[in-house]
């Protein structure tokens, strides 16, 4: 049995909790959140009575904790992760790994020093679509994959609360949404090393305070007093050491017809689109072909996505699996994101 504590019991913590509740090898034993009202609400809701506003107090009072999920806002990822590792706990840290690559490197170094697992919440790596596409990569369906396009665009989707506050988020849709699709493409490509980036960010529409339409996903702390000093659109090109290039766009606010999140892959022998249904493009008998797989779920299924991630975390802790979302990949992603923000600021390409 793995005893788990959740650090930061906001919105995404509920998804982690639901997934933990389905894993028979897990007992959730404690909560920590700096917001006492939220802590009390969540403790009651999930029947957890060991609730703390101070992390170290939690570790001293509940020594049986083996592992934690860090589900705080981004600026608390590094300090909470480092404290948990130093207390001898395994850590699943939500994406983005940290505010920047420097923090991410410190987290990685601490995990190595302490000999504990540090897994990053790259949840899309655990999707059925990613698994199937990887099978096609491994069987050389695509030939050389040399280009990809990834978009994660919301028309009016700034989640509010800390998400718009750069001092706690580190940035806007690039660090929040772009991170998912950049990581997924890099994972599908076989984790190549990024060598340069060109980026542009725009702060034009902000969090659209006057638009009354539904905003979708919300921070547990969203409210009237939300500030917004992050970009609302980011666009970038990322070049990898194997010659492949990824073009990515991420937005919280944009005047487009409807929200979209898709990935297109282009290889010498075939291509694919995850939209989120998987389509494959190729050649057969001298004709160009478009295909989909029969009798199998190829669309990204959000049902089960976090369960896959949490089950994998527990399997890694118990020695049944090797981690597919290790801290090293979190550091690489932070280097890419840092580079894109720097490029946007400087107005030219940045070498990583
Ligand atoms: N994997 C995904 O698809 C996904 C989806 C949503 C959010 N996230 C990530 O999850 C994290 C949390 O997002 P959210 O939407 O749940 O935010 P949220 O605002 O709903 O909750 C964050 C919680 O963290 C608490 N907190 C902040 N600092 C803390 C600290 N030092 N110690 C303890 N608690 C602290 C806050 O009080 C709040 O209750 C973010 O990093 C976000 O990027 C991931």
């Amino acid at each position: 049995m793995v005893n788990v504590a959740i650090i930061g019991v906001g919105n995404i913590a509920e998804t982690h909790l639901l997934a933990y509740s389905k894993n028979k090898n897990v007992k959730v034993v404690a909560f920590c959140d700096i917001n006492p009202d939220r802590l009390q609400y969540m403790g009651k809701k999930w029947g957890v009575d060991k609730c703390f506003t101070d992390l170290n107090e939690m570790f001293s009072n509940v020594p049986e904790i083996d592992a934690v999920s860090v589900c705080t806002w981004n600026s608390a990822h590094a300090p909470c992760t480092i404290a948990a590792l130093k207390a001898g706990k395994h850590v699943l840290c939500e994406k983005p790994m940290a505010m920047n690559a420097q923090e991410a490197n410190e987290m990685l170094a601490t995990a190595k020093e302490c000999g504990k697992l540090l897994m990053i919440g790259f949840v899309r790596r655990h999707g059925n679509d990613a698994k199937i596409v990887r099978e096609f990569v491994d069987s050389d369906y695509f030939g050389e994959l040399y280009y990809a396009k990834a978009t994660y665009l919301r028309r009016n989707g700034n989640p509010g609360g800390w998400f718009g506050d750069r001092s706690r988020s580190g940035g806007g849709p690039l660090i929040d949404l772009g991170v998912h699709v950049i990581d997924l493409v890099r994972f599908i490509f076989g984790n190549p090393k990024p060598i340069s980036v060109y980026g542009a960010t725009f702060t034009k529409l902000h969090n659209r305070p006057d638009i009354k339409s539904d905003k979708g996903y919300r921070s547990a702390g969203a409210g009237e007093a939300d500030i917004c000093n992050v970009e609302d659109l980011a666009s970038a090109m990322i070049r990898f050491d194997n010659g492949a290039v990824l073009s990515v766009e991420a937005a919280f606010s944009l005047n487009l017809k409807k929200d979209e999140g898709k990935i297109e892959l282009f290889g010498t022998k075939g291509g694919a689109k995850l939209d989120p249904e998987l389509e494959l493009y190729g050649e057969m008998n001298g004709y160009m072909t478009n295909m989909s797989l029969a009798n199998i779920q190829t669309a990204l299924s959000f049902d089960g996505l976090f369960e896959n991630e949490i089950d994998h975390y527990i399997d890694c802790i118990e020695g049944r699996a090797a981690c597919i979302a290790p801290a090293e990949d979190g550091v690489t992603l932070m280097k890419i994101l840092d580079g894109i923000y720097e490029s946007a600021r400087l107005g030219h390409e940045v070498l990583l």
Side-chain angles (χ1 to χ4, degrees):
M1 190 58 88
V2 178
N3 291 317
V4 168
I6 311 287
I7 305 170
V9 286
N11 251 343
I12 204 65
E14 300 241 32
T15 315
H16 283 232
L17 281 161
L18 208 58
Y20 280 125
S21 73
K22 292 180 183 163
N23 187 308
K24 291 191 172 48
N25 296 341
V26 170
K27 189 168 178 222
V28 175
V29 293
F31 283 170
C32 173
D33 199 296
I34 53 172
N35 178 339
D37 295 339
R38 178 75 187 175
L39 186 62
Q40 199 191 13
Y41 164 79
M42 288 289 280
K44 220 177 205 173
K45 180 169 177 186
W46 289 90
V48 171
D49 51 13
K50 290 175 180 158
C51 292
F52 300 85
T53 50
D54 182 273
L55 196 53
N56 291 317
E57 219 172 278
M58 176 173 81
F59 291 138
S60 337
N61 280 280
V62 195
E64 65 269 29
I65 296 169
D66 302 303
V68 302
S69 268
V70 172
C71 297
T72 63
W73 50 62
N74 302 344
S75 62
H77 285 188
C80 292
T81 295
I82 289 171
L85 291 166
K86 286 190 168 163
K89 318 300 176 191
H90 301 290
V91 177
L92 167 58
C93 178
E94 261 302 346
K95 49 51 65 175
M97 182 169 176
M99 297 285 274
N100 51 52
Q102 192 192 331
E103 284 186 359
N105 267 317
E106 285 167 29
M107 294 158 78
L108 171 62
T110 310
K112 283 186 175 161
E113 263 166 46
C114 300
K116 292 289 155 186
L117 171 66
L118 172 53
M119 174 169 148
I120 309 305
F122 291 134
V123 72
R124 291 288 307 263
R125 290 188 176 211
H126 303 274
N128 49 315
D129 57 345
K131 183 172 170 291
I132 295 168
V133 170
R134 287 281 316 179
E135 285 171 12
F136 277 82
V137 172
D138 290 345
S139 66
D140 200 33
Y141 170 80
F142 296 107
E144 180 196 351
L145 273 173
Y146 56 92
Y147 185 55
K149 290 200 282 183
T151 55
Y152 202 149
L153 301 172
R154 292 181 184 160
R155 187 171 179 171
N156 181 29
N158 183 317
W162 60 271
F163 281 86
D165 173 4
R166 181 177 296 278
S167 69
R168 287 181 288 168
S169 64
L174 177 68
I175 197 168
D176 183 50
L177 306 177
V179 66
H180 278 296
V181 285
I182 295 170
D183 179 69
L184 184 57
V185 169
R186 195 175 158 261
F187 181 61
I188 292 168
F189 275 1
N191 299 315
K193 186 172 178 251
I195 54 169
S196 68
V197 294
Y198 172 81
T201 58
F202 303 86
T203 308
K204 303 286 184 187
L205 307 179
H206 305 275
N207 53 357
R208 309 194 91 157
D210 300 329
I211 300 286
K212 297 178 191 75
S213 316
D214 180 29
K215 282 183 180 288
Y217 184 87
R218 302 295 278 157
S219 155
E224 291 297 309
D226 289 348
I227 58 161
C228 182
N229 59 11
V230 297
E231 83 277 4
D232 41 56
L233 170 68
S235 167
M237 288 195 94
I238 303 158
R239 188 182 294 277
F240 296 97
D241 63 349
N242 60 358
V245 169
L246 162 63
S247 163
V248 61
E249 294 173 353
F252 277 162
S253 309
L254 189 64
N255 282 318
L256 81 166
K257 186 173 179 190
K258 64 181 176 66
D259 293 0
E260 66 172 55
K262 69 170 189 253
I263 286 175
E264 291 170 276
L265 302 165
F266 304 95
T268 49
K269 294 204 293 194
K273 183 163 72 161
L274 286 74
D275 189 13
E277 189 78 41
L278 174 64
E279 286 176 0
L280 294 160
Y281 313 120
E283 300 166 7
M284 210 181 283
N285 286 350
Y287 295 97
M288 291 185 287
T289 54
N290 300 339
M291 289 177 292
S292 56
L293 303 186
N295 297 330
I296 188 161
Q297 159 89 20
T298 59
L300 172 67
S301 167
F302 282 98
D303 292 340
L305 193 59
F306 279 86
E307 282 88 337
N308 292 350
E309 178 182 64
I310 294 293
D311 289 351
H312 181 68
Y313 179 44
I314 300 302
D315 283 349
C316 292
I317 290 172
E318 298 200 313
R320 287 187 294 273
C323 185
I324 65 160
E328 283 82 354
D329 287 325
V331 172
T332 302
L333 243 290
M334 293 317 305
K335 283 184 187 158
I336 293 174
L337 300 180
D338 284 2
I340 294 172
Y341 281 127
E342 196 192 350
S343 167
R345 191 173 56 79
L346 297 173
H348 58 72
E349 186 186 25
V350 164
L351 301 181
L352 299 178

